[in-house]
Amino acid sequence: MSQATLGDDEELFGEAANEMREDVESSLEEAWGALPAADAIWETDADNVLGVLNGLNSALNAGDAEDHLRDAKKWFTMGQRADAFEDAEDLEDEIADLEAAIEDLSEAGEQVGELTSTIPALRGTLQDIDETDEADADAEEDEE
């Protein structure tokens, strides 16, 4: 191979490495942007607890963030294996932070989902107790 070809190959590799880093950064930016807004999980217009829980459960959905994170990890892994990144710690840290945020959303969603199925049953149980107490009170009044 001639010197010119080697120089061209290095230049092409450098361009590819820069494009790969840009792809990772772009995917990370899109993933962060796809996460729900803080107000979406904090504010509600619901009239009751079940409405609040259903709204919160919907708001805790990571949406397309997981797909964008997967793309970022794919390009990051490829770039690392090709030794294309001079300094990739910042990308690695951001990927870890994003993974943690998505995992937190997922865990919170599971907890809210459990409450969403538990609260109506609990309400029914408490209503039955109230009805039983009322019936007992009515029976006592009738006896007097």
Side-chain angles (χ1 to χ4, degrees), residues 88-105:
E89 272 186 43
D90 61 326
L91 295 176
E92 196 167 14
D93 290 344
E94 189 172 353
I95 287 170
D97 290 346
L98 183 57
E99 283 179 320
I102 290 172
E103 186 175 319
D104 288 348
L105 281 171

Side-chain angles (χ1 to χ4, degrees), residues 65-144:
E66 291 174 329
D67 292 336
H68 295 302
L69 174 61
R70 181 173 170 73
D71 285 345
K73 288 172 72 173
K74 176 177 56 176
W75 291 114
F76 178 77
T77 301
M78 184 178 287
Q80 267 193 322
R81 288 189 181 166
D83 200 24
F85 303 133
E86 289 180 22
D87 179 27
E89 272 186 43
D90 61 326
L91 295 176
E92 196 167 14
D93 290 344
E94 189 172 353
I95 287 170
D97 290 346
L98 183 57
E99 283 179 320
I102 290 172
E103 186 175 319
D104 288 348
L105 281 171
S106 177
E107 288 175 8
E110 288 173 15
Q111 292 171 358
V112 170
E114 289 175 18
L115 279 174
T116 301
S117 63
T118 302
I119 294 297
L122 179 59
R123 179 178 185 230
T125 300
L126 295 173
Q127 284 176 329
D128 291 346
I129 291 169
D130 287 345
E131 290 171 5
T132 302
D133 288 347
E134 287 176 16
D136 289 347
D138 288 343
E140 285 180 22
E141 283 181 17
D142 289 343
E143 286 178 12
E144 293 176 2

Side-chain angles (χ1 to χ4, degrees), residues 7-80:
D8 289 345
D9 288 348
E10 281 298 314
E11 185 178 321
L12 290 173
F13 184 80
E15 284 180 34
N18 287 336
E19 289 175 11
M20 205 172 297
R21 183 176 185 87
E22 289 172 6
D23 286 344
V24 172
E25 290 171 346
S26 173
S27 292
L28 288 171
E29 186 176 323
E30 289 177 21
W32 286 115
L35 293 176
D39 287 346
I41 65 168
W42 191 252
E43 297 177 3
T44 185
D45 293 329
D47 295 329
N48 58 46
V49 172
L50 188 57
V52 169
L53 291 172
N54 283 328
L56 180 57
N57 202 19
S58 294
L60 290 170
N61 185 338
D64 292 336
E66 291 174 329
D67 292 336
H68 295 302
L69 174 61
R70 181 173 170 73
D71 285 345
K73 288 172 72 173
K74 176 177 56 176
W75 291 114
F76 178 77
T77 301
M78 184 178 287
Q80 267 193 322

